[in-house]
Structures are given as structure tokens and as C-alpha cells.
Amino acid sequence: MALGTAAAPSAYELRFDAGRICLDLLATTHPGERLDGLEPLRAWITGSGLVPPGTPLAHADAGWLVGFRELRGHVGQLVRGRNTPGIRPYDLALARVNDVARAAAPPAPRAVPGEDGYLVRELAGPPGCAALLAAVARDAVELLTDPVARAAVRECEGDNCPLVYLDTSRGRRRRWCSSEVCGNRERVARHRRRAALARA
């Protein structure tokens, strides 16, 4: 997964480097709201891999935006672990994620010949919002219930960066959501501190 612009025609800086779809959804809140309209939402849905490139999403409406933002809030509450079971906000978030996960079957893929003759993936029909939300919620349920994956969830050590990612690095020593973004900022700041000390 790479940092950058989503595959859909847009200039929205969307990130897909957190290691899980549900964590990539959480990244749409930083540094500001990234899902501020239907075009960024469509770009995120395609860029995240929920649907194959070129899947028509013109039928998405404002209800989709509300659904994805709500699910994002619930997943964030559970993944960040700021609450514990038995406490009302945590329990409500957990119940909602479970409800969304079982609400609809995921979009059905099929293999079809591409222009070059090789098989490509496409969906059997237009994806519905409930099916896409269910796929993200199921990803969150898998993450939360897998002790190995859950232990690899990290919060970025970058200044003012609340992003969460799955640390799959060798030795589990990854410190930043992105070496190119927060890691680079930290290296530049470290260099400036050393330069300032050398001048003093």
C-alpha cells in the first residue's frame, strides 16, 4: 500500500499505508476531514481496494458519506482502545461495528477477460453502501479479534499525528505512520536541532 493520491480522478490526498482497510479509513481524518464530499469518498472506496478500479459509483449519495463517517468513528474508538469493555461508549461502538459487519454480504466479485485477454476482477453488480460498510466492519472485527494483529497496532510517534497503523516491520520497530511523512519530519527536526547545537 502506498501513500499518495487515490486511483480515482481526484486531487484528494488519501492514504492507503496503514496495513488494513479499517485503519486506512481512520486515516481520512488527518490532518483534516478527507471525506468531505462524495468524490473523495468514491476515491477512497476505489483506492482502498473495496472495489476494482473503474467500478461505477455514481449511485453513491450523502447517506454513504454519513455511513462511512459513523463507522470510522466507531472503529476508531475500538482500535485506539481508549475505552474498555463494560463502559457504555465502548460497548455502543462494539455493538454498532458488529451490526454493520453482519448487515449485508460483501460485494460479489467475478473474473472476466480484460482487454489484453487476461482475467480481471469486477463486481457482479453495482455495490451497495451496506455491503461496502460491512466489508470494512468485518476487517475491523478480524483485526480486533486476532491477538497477533491487535498487538501490532501502533499509534504514530510523529508530532501531532494521531494515525494508527499495523506494524508489520521486521522486529516490530516501526515508529511512524509513514517514513516519508512523519518520519521525514522527525529526521528534519533532528537535523535542525543538531545544527542549532553546533552553532551554539
Short mmCIF file of all heavy atoms in Angstrom, two decimals, residues 83-126:
data_model
loop_
_atom_site.label_atom_id
_atom_site.label_comp_id
_atom_site.label_asym_id
_atom_site.label_seq_id
_atom_site.Cartn_x
_atom_site.Cartn_y
_atom_site.Cartn_z
N ASN A 83 -11.26 3.20 25.58
CA ASN A 83 -12.31 2.76 26.49
C ASN A 83 -12.15 1.26 26.67
O ASN A 83 -11.46 0.60 25.91
CB ASN A 83 -13.69 3.08 25.92
CG ASN A 83 -13.92 4.57 25.84
OD1 ASN A 83 -13.85 5.26 26.84
ND2 ASN A 83 -14.18 5.07 24.64
N THR A 84 -12.79 0.74 27.64
CA THR A 84 -12.69 -0.68 27.90
C THR A 84 -14.07 -1.32 27.92
O THR A 84 -15.06 -0.63 28.14
CB THR A 84 -12.00 -0.93 29.26
OG1 THR A 84 -12.70 -0.19 30.27
CG2 THR A 84 -10.56 -0.48 29.23
N PRO A 85 -14.12 -2.62 27.69
CA PRO A 85 -15.42 -3.31 27.74
C PRO A 85 -16.11 -3.03 29.07
O PRO A 85 -15.48 -2.95 30.12
CB PRO A 85 -15.04 -4.78 27.59
CG PRO A 85 -13.74 -4.76 26.85
CD PRO A 85 -13.03 -3.52 27.34
N GLY A 86 -17.42 -2.89 29.00
CA GLY A 86 -18.20 -2.60 30.18
C GLY A 86 -18.48 -1.12 30.34
O GLY A 86 -19.29 -0.71 31.17
N ILE A 87 -17.81 -0.30 29.56
CA ILE A 87 -18.05 1.14 29.60
C ILE A 87 -18.92 1.49 28.41
O ILE A 87 -18.66 1.06 27.28
CB ILE A 87 -16.71 1.93 29.58
CG1 ILE A 87 -15.95 1.61 30.86
CG2 ILE A 87 -16.96 3.42 29.43
CD1 ILE A 87 -14.59 2.25 30.94
N ARG A 88 -19.95 2.26 28.65
CA ARG A 88 -21.00 2.49 27.67
C ARG A 88 -20.51 2.90 26.28
O ARG A 88 -20.91 2.28 25.29
CB ARG A 88 -22.00 3.50 28.22
CG ARG A 88 -23.19 3.70 27.33
CD ARG A 88 -24.28 4.48 28.04
NE ARG A 88 -25.34 4.85 27.14
CZ ARG A 88 -26.28 4.05 26.69
NH1 ARG A 88 -26.27 2.79 27.06
NH2 ARG A 88 -27.22 4.47 25.88
N PRO A 89 -19.66 3.93 26.09
CA PRO A 89 -19.27 4.30 24.73
C PRO A 89 -18.57 3.16 23.98
O PRO A 89 -18.82 2.95 22.79
CB PRO A 89 -18.32 5.49 24.92
CG PRO A 89 -18.70 6.05 26.24
CD PRO A 89 -19.13 4.88 27.07
N TYR A 90 -17.73 2.40 24.67
CA TYR A 90 -17.04 1.29 24.03
C TYR A 90 -18.04 0.23 23.61
O TYR A 90 -18.01 -0.27 22.49
CB TYR A 90 -16.01 0.69 25.00
CG TYR A 90 -15.22 -0.46 24.43
CD1 TYR A 90 -13.99 -0.24 23.82
CD2 TYR A 90 -15.70 -1.77 24.48
CE1 TYR A 90 -13.25 -1.28 23.28
CE2 TYR A 90 -14.98 -2.82 23.95
CZ TYR A 90 -13.76 -2.58 23.36
OH TYR A 90 -13.04 -3.62 22.83
N ASP A 91 -18.93 -0.12 24.52
CA ASP A 91 -19.93 -1.15 24.23
C ASP A 91 -20.85 -0.75 23.07
O ASP A 91 -21.20 -1.58 22.23
CB ASP A 91 -20.76 -1.46 25.47
CG ASP A 91 -19.95 -2.20 26.54
OD1 ASP A 91 -18.86 -2.71 26.22
OD2 ASP A 91 -20.41 -2.24 27.69
N LEU A 92 -21.22 0.53 23.01
CA LEU A 92 -22.06 1.00 21.91
C LEU A 92 -21.31 0.92 20.57
O LEU A 92 -21.87 0.51 19.56
CB LEU A 92 -22.53 2.44 22.16
CG LEU A 92 -23.56 2.60 23.28
CD1 LEU A 92 -23.82 4.07 23.55
CD2 LEU A 92 -24.85 1.88 22.94
N ALA A 93 -20.03 1.32 20.58
CA ALA A 93 -19.22 1.24 19.36
C ALA A 93 -19.08 -0.21 18.90
O ALA A 93 -19.20 -0.51 17.72
CB ALA A 93 -17.85 1.88 19.60
N LEU A 94 -18.82 -1.11 19.84
CA LEU A 94 -18.67 -2.52 19.51
C LEU A 94 -19.96 -3.09 18.93
O LEU A 94 -19.95 -3.80 17.92
CB LEU A 94 -18.24 -3.30 20.75
CG LEU A 94 -17.96 -4.79 20.55
CD1 LEU A 94 -16.84 -5.00 19.53
CD2 LEU A 94 -17.59 -5.43 21.88
N ALA A 95 -21.09 -2.76 19.54
CA ALA A 95 -22.38 -3.24 19.04
C ALA A 95 -22.64 -2.72 17.63
O ALA A 95 -23.11 -3.45 16.76
CB ALA A 95 -23.50 -2.80 19.99
N ARG A 96 -22.31 -1.47 17.40
CA ARG A 96 -22.56 -0.88 16.08
C ARG A 96 -21.67 -1.52 15.01
O ARG A 96 -22.13 -1.83 13.91
CB ARG A 96 -22.35 0.64 16.12
CG ARG A 96 -22.71 1.32 14.85
CD ARG A 96 -24.20 1.19 14.54
NE ARG A 96 -24.45 1.79 13.23
CZ ARG A 96 -25.14 1.21 12.27
NH1 ARG A 96 -25.70 0.04 12.46
NH2 ARG A 96 -25.31 1.80 11.12
N VAL A 97 -20.39 -1.73 15.30
CA VAL A 97 -19.49 -2.37 14.34
C VAL A 97 -19.98 -3.79 14.04
O VAL A 97 -20.01 -4.21 12.88
CB VAL A 97 -18.03 -2.36 14.83
CG1 VAL A 97 -17.15 -3.28 13.99
CG2 VAL A 97 -17.48 -0.94 14.81
N ASN A 98 -20.39 -4.51 15.06
CA ASN A 98 -20.92 -5.86 14.85
C ASN A 98 -22.19 -5.84 14.00
O ASN A 98 -22.37 -6.70 13.12
CB ASN A 98 -21.19 -6.55 16.19
CG ASN A 98 -19.92 -7.03 16.86
OD1 ASN A 98 -18.94 -7.36 16.19
ND2 ASN A 98 -19.93 -7.06 18.17
N ASP A 99 -23.07 -4.87 14.25
CA ASP A 99 -24.30 -4.75 13.45
C ASP A 99 -23.98 -4.48 11.98
O ASP A 99 -24.56 -5.10 11.08
CB ASP A 99 -25.18 -3.61 13.98
CG ASP A 99 -25.87 -3.96 15.28
OD1 ASP A 99 -25.89 -5.15 15.66
OD2 ASP A 99 -26.37 -3.02 15.94
N VAL A 100 -23.05 -3.58 11.74
CA VAL A 100 -22.68 -3.23 10.36
C VAL A 100 -22.02 -4.42 9.67
O VAL A 100 -22.27 -4.70 8.50
CB VAL A 100 -21.77 -1.98 10.33
CG1 VAL A 100 -21.22 -1.73 8.93
CG2 VAL A 100 -22.52 -0.75 10.83
N ALA A 101 -21.20 -5.17 10.42
CA ALA A 101 -20.48 -6.31 9.84
C ALA A 101 -21.43 -7.40 9.35
O ALA A 101 -21.13 -8.08 8.36
CB ALA A 101 -19.51 -6.90 10.87
N ARG A 102 -22.56 -7.55 9.98
CA ARG A 102 -23.48 -8.61 9.57
C ARG A 102 -24.65 -8.10 8.74
O ARG A 102 -25.52 -8.87 8.34
CB ARG A 102 -23.99 -9.37 10.80
CG ARG A 102 -24.94 -8.60 11.67
CD ARG A 102 -25.53 -9.50 12.77
NE ARG A 102 -26.23 -8.69 13.73
CZ ARG A 102 -25.77 -8.38 14.92
NH1 ARG A 102 -24.62 -8.84 15.33
NH2 ARG A 102 -26.46 -7.62 15.74
N ALA A 103 -24.67 -6.81 8.44
CA ALA A 103 -25.82 -6.20 7.76
C ALA A 103 -25.99 -6.65 6.31
O ALA A 103 -27.11 -6.72 5.82
CB ALA A 103 -25.72 -4.68 7.81
N ALA A 104 -24.91 -6.94 5.62
CA ALA A 104 -25.03 -7.27 4.20
C ALA A 104 -23.86 -8.14 3.77
O ALA A 104 -22.79 -8.09 4.37
CB ALA A 104 -25.07 -5.99 3.36
N ALA A 105 -24.07 -8.89 2.72
CA ALA A 105 -22.98 -9.69 2.15
C ALA A 105 -22.02 -8.75 1.42
O ALA A 105 -22.44 -7.72 0.89
CB ALA A 105 -23.55 -10.71 1.18
N PRO A 106 -20.74 -9.08 1.40
CA PRO A 106 -19.79 -8.23 0.68
C PRO A 106 -20.09 -8.26 -0.81
O PRO A 106 -20.74 -9.18 -1.31
CB PRO A 106 -18.43 -8.86 0.99
CG PRO A 106 -18.73 -10.26 1.40
CD PRO A 106 -20.10 -10.26 2.00
N PRO A 107 -19.63 -7.24 -1.54
CA PRO A 107 -19.85 -7.25 -2.99
C PRO A 107 -19.28 -8.51 -3.62
O PRO A 107 -18.17 -8.93 -3.28
CB PRO A 107 -19.08 -6.00 -3.46
CG PRO A 107 -18.92 -5.15 -2.26
CD PRO A 107 -18.87 -6.08 -1.09
N ALA A 108 -20.04 -9.12 -4.50
CA ALA A 108 -19.61 -10.38 -5.13
C ALA A 108 -18.69 -10.10 -6.32
O ALA A 108 -19.07 -9.43 -7.27
CB ALA A 108 -20.83 -11.17 -5.60
N PRO A 109 -17.45 -10.63 -6.27
CA PRO A 109 -16.54 -10.44 -7.40
C PRO A 109 -16.76 -11.53 -8.44
O PRO A 109 -17.31 -12.58 -8.17
CB PRO A 109 -15.17 -10.59 -6.75
CG PRO A 109 -15.40 -11.55 -5.63
CD PRO A 109 -16.81 -11.28 -5.14
N ARG A 110 -16.31 -11.24 -9.65
CA ARG A 110 -16.29 -12.25 -10.71
C ARG A 110 -15.08 -11.97 -11.59
O ARG A 110 -14.59 -10.83 -11.64
CB ARG A 110 -17.57 -12.26 -11.50
CG ARG A 110 -17.82 -11.00 -12.29
CD ARG A 110 -19.13 -11.08 -13.04
NE ARG A 110 -19.31 -9.86 -13.83
CZ ARG A 110 -20.22 -9.72 -14.76
NH1 ARG A 110 -21.05 -10.71 -15.02
NH2 ARG A 110 -20.31 -8.61 -15.43
N ALA A 111 -14.60 -13.00 -12.25
CA ALA A 111 -13.46 -12.87 -13.16
C ALA A 111 -13.98 -12.74 -14.58
O ALA A 111 -14.83 -13.53 -15.00
CB ALA A 111 -12.54 -14.07 -13.04
N VAL A 112 -13.49 -11.74 -15.29
CA VAL A 112 -13.89 -11.53 -16.68
C VAL A 112 -12.63 -11.26 -17.51
O VAL A 112 -11.64 -10.76 -16.99
CB VAL A 112 -14.88 -10.35 -16.82
CG1 VAL A 112 -16.17 -10.63 -16.08
CG2 VAL A 112 -14.26 -9.05 -16.34
N PRO A 113 -12.65 -11.59 -18.79
CA PRO A 113 -11.49 -11.30 -19.63
C PRO A 113 -11.28 -9.79 -19.78
O PRO A 113 -12.23 -9.05 -20.05
CB PRO A 113 -11.84 -11.92 -20.99
CG PRO A 113 -12.94 -12.88 -20.70
CD PRO A 113 -13.68 -12.34 -19.50
N GLY A 114 -10.05 -9.35 -19.59
CA GLY A 114 -9.70 -7.95 -19.79
C GLY A 114 -9.38 -7.70 -21.25
O GLY A 114 -9.42 -8.61 -22.09
N GLU A 115 -9.03 -6.46 -21.56
CA GLU A 115 -8.71 -6.09 -22.94
C GLU A 115 -7.51 -6.87 -23.49
O GLU A 115 -7.43 -7.13 -24.68
CB GLU A 115 -8.45 -4.59 -23.03
CG GLU A 115 -9.68 -3.75 -22.80
CD GLU A 115 -9.39 -2.26 -22.86
OE1 GLU A 115 -8.29 -1.88 -23.30
OE2 GLU A 115 -10.28 -1.50 -22.45
N ASP A 116 -6.59 -7.24 -22.58
CA ASP A 116 -5.39 -7.97 -23.01
C ASP A 116 -5.59 -9.48 -22.98
O ASP A 116 -4.66 -10.23 -23.24
CB ASP A 116 -4.20 -7.58 -22.14
CG ASP A 116 -4.45 -7.84 -20.66
OD1 ASP A 116 -5.53 -8.39 -20.31
OD2 ASP A 116 -3.58 -7.50 -19.85
N GLY A 117 -6.80 -9.93 -22.64
CA GLY A 117 -7.08 -11.36 -22.62
C GLY A 117 -6.91 -12.01 -21.26
O GLY A 117 -7.39 -13.10 -21.02
N TYR A 118 -6.19 -11.34 -20.36
CA TYR A 118 -6.03 -11.87 -19.01
C TYR A 118 -7.27 -11.59 -18.19
O TYR A 118 -7.99 -10.61 -18.43
CB TYR A 118 -4.81 -11.24 -18.33
CG TYR A 118 -3.49 -11.68 -18.92
CD1 TYR A 118 -2.81 -10.87 -19.83
CD2 TYR A 118 -2.95 -12.92 -18.60
CE1 TYR A 118 -1.62 -11.26 -20.39
CE2 TYR A 118 -1.75 -13.33 -19.16
CZ TYR A 118 -1.08 -12.50 -20.05
OH TYR A 118 0.09 -12.90 -20.60
N LEU A 119 -7.51 -12.44 -17.20
CA LEU A 119 -8.68 -12.25 -16.36
C LEU A 119 -8.48 -11.09 -15.40
O LEU A 119 -7.41 -10.90 -14.84
CB LEU A 119 -8.97 -13.53 -15.56
CG LEU A 119 -9.40 -14.73 -16.39
CD1 LEU A 119 -9.58 -15.95 -15.49
CD2 LEU A 119 -10.68 -14.45 -17.16
N VAL A 120 -9.53 -10.31 -15.24
CA VAL A 120 -9.54 -9.20 -14.30
C VAL A 120 -10.76 -9.34 -13.40
O VAL A 120 -11.74 -10.01 -13.75
CB VAL A 120 -9.54 -7.82 -15.01
CG1 VAL A 120 -8.27 -7.62 -15.82
CG2 VAL A 120 -10.77 -7.66 -15.88
N ARG A 121 -10.68 -8.70 -12.26
CA ARG A 121 -11.78 -8.77 -11.29
C ARG A 121 -12.73 -7.59 -11.52
O ARG A 121 -12.30 -6.46 -11.74
CB ARG A 121 -11.22 -8.70 -9.87
CG ARG A 121 -12.26 -8.79 -8.78
CD ARG A 121 -11.61 -8.83 -7.41
NE ARG A 121 -10.91 -7.60 -7.09
CZ ARG A 121 -11.33 -6.71 -6.19
NH1 ARG A 121 -12.42 -6.94 -5.49
NH2 ARG A 121 -10.63 -5.63 -5.95
N GLU A 122 -14.02 -7.89 -11.48
CA GLU A 122 -15.04 -6.85 -11.46
C GLU A 122 -16.16 -7.34 -10.57
O GLU A 122 -16.19 -8.51 -10.17
CB GLU A 122 -15.53 -6.49 -12.86
CG GLU A 122 -16.40 -7.53 -13.52
CD GLU A 122 -16.98 -7.05 -14.85
OE1 GLU A 122 -16.34 -6.26 -15.56
OE2 GLU A 122 -18.10 -7.49 -15.16
N LEU A 123 -17.05 -6.46 -10.22
CA LEU A 123 -18.16 -6.85 -9.35
C LEU A 123 -19.33 -7.32 -10.19
O LEU A 123 -19.55 -6.85 -11.31
CB LEU A 123 -18.57 -5.69 -8.46
CG LEU A 123 -17.48 -5.19 -7.51
CD1 LEU A 123 -18.02 -4.07 -6.62
CD2 LEU A 123 -16.92 -6.32 -6.66
N ALA A 124 -20.09 -8.25 -9.64
CA ALA A 124 -21.23 -8.82 -10.36
C ALA A 124 -22.34 -7.80 -10.57
O ALA A 124 -23.16 -7.95 -11.46
CB ALA A 124 -21.77 -10.04 -9.61
N GLY A 125 -22.36 -6.76 -9.76
CA GLY A 125 -23.36 -5.71 -9.87
C GLY A 125 -22.88 -4.48 -9.13
O GLY A 125 -21.83 -4.52 -8.48
N PRO A 126 -23.62 -3.40 -9.20
CA PRO A 126 -23.21 -2.18 -8.50
C PRO A 126 -23.17 -2.44 -6.99
O PRO A 126 -24.10 -3.01 -6.43
CB PRO A 126 -24.29 -1.17 -8.84
CG PRO A 126 -25.08 -1.75 -9.95
CD PRO A 126 -24.87 -3.23 -9.92
#
